[in-house]
């Protein structure tokens, strides 16, 4: 599975918790990526996972951005579901 994890107000609210979730997912053979609506120059740093793919959408809806990059996410973890597809 590909699991997309939001950064702002999700990962950064409890990094130690999410680091454990990421470790379990990786041990089980899943891929965790970070998808944030930040611009590239605002790219977050995740010290515990320096090789984790981080996608900065530049405020573009996350689903559009990842699909445009050829990535089909299986599970989204995000505090703001509207960020996935854009506001109605």
């Amino acid at each position: 599975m590909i699991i997309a994890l939001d950064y702002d107000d999700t990962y950064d609210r409890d990094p130690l918790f999410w680091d454990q979730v990421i470790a379990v997912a990786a041990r089980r053979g899943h891929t965790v990526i970070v998808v944030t609506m930040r611009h590239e120059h605002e790219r977050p740093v995740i010290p515990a996972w320096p090789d984790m793919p981080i996608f900065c959408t530049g405020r573009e809806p996350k689903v559009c951005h990842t699909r445009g990059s050829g990535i089909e996410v299986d599970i989204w973890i995000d505090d703001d579901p509207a960020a996935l597809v854009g506001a109605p």
Side-chain angles (χ1 to χ4, degrees):
M1 282 188 292
I2 297 178
I3 302 166
L5 178 63
D6 174 51
Y7 185 82
D8 294 297
D9 294 325
T10 303
Y11 177 86
D12 70 347
R13 288 182 76 177
D14 192 347
L16 295 176
F17 169 78
W18 290 112
D19 289 344
Q20 291 178 14
V21 171
I22 293 164
V24 169
R27 280 196 306 272
R28 300 282 305 158
H30 305 298
T31 300
V32 178
I33 63 174
V34 169
V35 183
T36 176
M37 290 189 77
R38 291 179 179 206
H39 290 282
E40 193 62 40
H41 70 276
E42 303 169 304
R43 173 180 288 276
V45 175
I46 302 177
W49 302 97
D51 296 328
M52 175 169 298
I54 298 175
F55 295 86
C56 297
T57 73
R59 309 297 188 265
E60 178 183 358
K62 295 176 180 183
V63 172
C64 294
H65 186 84
T66 54
R67 283 186 179 157
S69 298
I71 298 167
E72 285 295 327
V73 173
D74 297 296
I75 297 174
W76 291 92
I77 301 172
D78 202 302
D79 69 304
D80 181 11
L84 302 178
V85 295

